Amino acid sequence: MGERYESAKAIYAKFGIDTDAAIETLKKVPVAVHCWQADDVTGFDNDGPLTGGIQTTGDYPGKATNPDQMFEDLDKAFSLMPGLKKVNVHASYAIFEEDGFVDRDKLEPRHFKRWVEFAKKHGIGLDFNPTFFSHPMMKDGLTLSSPDKEVRDFWINHGKACIRISQYFAEETGIPCVMNIWTGDGFKDVPGDRMGPRMRYKESIEEILSEPYDFNKVKPCVESKVFGIGAEAYTVGSAEFTLSMAAMHKDKCMPLMDNGHYHPTEVVSDKIPALLCFFPELALHVTRGIRWDSDHVLILDDETKEIAQEIVRNDALGRVYIALDYFDASINRISALVTGFRSMQKALLNALCTPNAYFKELQDTNQMSRKMVAMEDAKMLPLGDVWAEYCEQCGVPACGYYDDIEKYEKDVLLKR
Ligand code: RNT
Ligand code: ZN
């Protein structure tokens, strides 16, 4: 334990904060790392373009183009991340090596065996996502809400297959699997019927959720969105739609909020405590939108800090499933994975080292001026020294990790 940590610990203690306890708590909070940052959301099951209203920009060299490279990159990224991970897998990352290709409606647990092996090697859990995009059965921009029954049935069967795979993940790892339902279904221009697609979407999701699963192990959730690229006028799975969906099926699914998916002045940090009043559990995609749902790499910005604060100060670390969701193809992808994960961890550590009980007391006794001053003072506490101690205990560098990534780029990525 360094001198700087000793001194920081004493400073925090004056504010009633036990930094050792904060470090121990943080070590147990899982944050799901999204595999799709490693290959620009390409996946292993198709050669087509990325569709569904999302886009990656940039052509930085060295992206993972097969399972071996994916696992190699995730191993490298993990070696620079302190704390507890999960891996978030999309159905498009099925691995067919042994038995040949099957379409998404026919996927089976065996197609994800290597993901389970990877998780077991690291002693971590897996999250899962049906992939309702980058596929020819997305017809006229629609999947589960299509007016064509054949299209809907294909995607319903995909959703059901994904429930079975999620159950397999949970059983194999012993850790619950969050399974997120997101579709880019929507229209570029003003629709002539807004409710029809939503009724079909509702019925399709209900059918997917009729597949048997243990809700203690499989945690389906529904993610909302305000708009997508090419679907600017209307999104079927809007905020009100998905929230109502989750509320009506509280015994078998949860809401998922992606902080890139709201109007620019709305903040997910404020929505977390609102939902915690009603939902036992909820899920997040933490990202960084710039002007719109741009999925930039997470950094330690104000909203990331505030999201972490709302989880911690409401004692909800056990009720909120935290996952990352961004994709930047213009920079080194290992640096994107590592930096985003570390930013979330820093935000959580910051929250755990904040005198929130004191702020609450000041608010409840209407000492608002003192609260403002105290909150500003807290921003100057020596968090960096606590972070350095945490990283040391986790066996990763506290900063300056890019040299290591650059070496990996030279030795591995640029040789691909
Ligand atoms: C898209 C959603 C969705 C995807 C992933 C790949 O806007 O945020 O979560 O990013 O499923
Ligand atoms: Zn998302």
Side-chain angles (χ1 to χ4, degrees), residues 217-235:
K217 293 180 181 165
V218 177
K219 305 279 177 182
C221 36
V222 276
E223 178 180 12
S224 71
K225 193 161 176 173
V226 65
F227 82 98
I229 300 167
E232 288 82 2
Y234 166 84
T235 294

Side-chain angles (χ1 to χ4, degrees), residues 121-403:
K121 183 176 94 179
H122 288 277
I124 59 172
L126 293 167
D127 287 342
F128 199 49
N129 307 258
T131 310
F132 298 102
F133 53 82
S134 303
H135 191 283
M137 276 303 264
M138 181 174 206
K139 291 261 166 71
D140 308 322
L142 303 176
T143 60
L144 291 172
S145 70
S146 168
D148 181 340
K149 185 164 177 336
E150 200 192 321
V151 171
R152 289 202 306 282
D153 284 347
F154 175 86
W155 291 112
I156 288 167
N157 287 331
H158 176 54
K160 289 181 170 188
C162 288
I163 296 234
R164 296 190 291 270
I165 294 160
S166 300
Q167 178 97 15
Y168 158 74
F169 279 178
E171 277 163 8
E172 287 291 323
T173 62
I175 296 165
C177 172
V178 175
M179 191 199 92
N180 179 42
I181 297 176
W182 170 76
T183 73
D185 288 24
F187 295 118
K188 185 178 178 75
D189 215 336
V190 183
D193 173 17
R194 286 190 159 89
M195 189 168 155
R198 287 188 174 135
M199 280 308 292
R200 293 190 289 268
Y201 196 29
K202 173 177 179 287
E203 276 157 26
S204 296
I205 295 173
E206 282 167 350
E207 240 187 283
I208 292 172
L209 298 180
S210 74
E211 179 71 18
Y213 57 93
D214 177 351
F215 193 36
N216 294 312
K217 293 180 181 165
V218 177
K219 305 279 177 182
C221 36
V222 276
E223 178 180 12
S224 71
K225 193 161 176 173
V226 65
F227 82 98
I229 300 167
E232 288 82 2
Y234 166 84
T235 294
V236 184
S238 61
E240 295 73 17
F241 176 91
T242 56
L243 200 50
S244 306
M245 185 82 210
M248 296 303 284
H249 299 285
K250 233 160 109 178
D251 56 333
K252 51 178 172 177
C253 88
M254 315 181 286
L256 184 146
M257 296 190 289
D258 179 314
N259 62 301
H261 289 190
Y262 296 86
H263 290 279
T265 59
E266 281 184 79
V267 280
V268 160
S269 51
D270 188 57
K271 298 176 194 295
I272 292 169
L275 265 53
L276 285 173
C277 296
F278 297 96
F279 291 94
E281 295 184 322
L282 56 101
L284 298 179
H285 273 180
V286 190
T287 187
R288 176 165 52 113
I290 294 194
R291 306 195 189 284
W292 59 284
D293 174 36
S294 52
D295 294 295
H296 282 60
V297 178
L298 197 67
I299 57 172
L300 189 61
D301 59 12
D302 285 350
E303 176 57 2
T304 306
K305 284 187 198 164
E306 206 57 22
I307 286 173
Q309 289 288 14
E310 286 300 331
I311 300 171
V312 169
R313 67 162 69 110
N314 295 308
D315 200 16
L317 280 169
R319 295 173 60 193
V320 179
Y321 295 89
I322 306 169
L324 305 173
D325 181 18
Y326 53 78
F327 19 94
D328 190 336
S330 74
I331 55 174
N332 179 298
R333 295 170 186 83
I334 313 294
S335 79
L337 283 165
V338 174
T339 303
F341 183 85
R342 292 168 71 105
S343 301
M344 189 69 231
Q345 291 246 310
K346 286 176 187 167
L348 288 164
L349 185 65
N350 179 57
L352 288 162
C353 291
T354 299
N356 278 313
Y358 177 53
F359 297 163
K360 182 175 185 298
E361 183 194 315
L362 292 175
Q363 176 175 313
D364 289 347
T365 50
N366 197 29
Q367 300 185 65
M368 301 308 260
S369 319
R370 186 175 289 279
K371 180 193 64 69
M372 178 183 74
V373 173
M375 283 177 105
E376 287 307 291
D377 280 351
K379 289 180 184 169
M380 291 295 108
L381 291 174
L383 187 71
D385 296 332
V386 184
W387 172 253
E389 172 67 18
Y390 171 66
C391 287
E392 198 187 319
Q393 289 187 24
C394 294
V396 303
C399 57
Y401 52 88
Y402 193 67
D403 287 347

Side-chain angles (χ1 to χ4, degrees), residues 52-101:
I54 52 177
Q55 214 168 51
T56 56
T57 52
D59 59 353
Y60 201 83
K63 79 170 180 178
T65 57
N66 59 44
D68 289 337
Q69 293 176 356
M70 168 66 72
F71 293 125
E72 190 179 26
D73 287 357
L74 289 175
D75 275 336
K76 182 66 207 174
F78 277 21
S79 74
L80 296 168
M81 295 171 176
L84 187 58
K85 298 107 194 154
K86 276 181 115 178
V87 177
N88 206 352
V89 185
H90 244 285
S92 52
Y93 292 82
I95 299 172
F96 299 115
E97 280 165 340
E98 289 160 25
D99 338 69
F101 175 83

Side-chain angles (χ1 to χ4, degrees), residues 91 94 96 102-109 111-112 158 161 165:
F96 299 115
V102 302
D103 213 343
R104 291 194 190 154
D105 58 334
K106 307 233 161 38
L107 285 171
E108 289 179 39
H111 299 120
F112 296 88
H158 176 54
I165 294 160

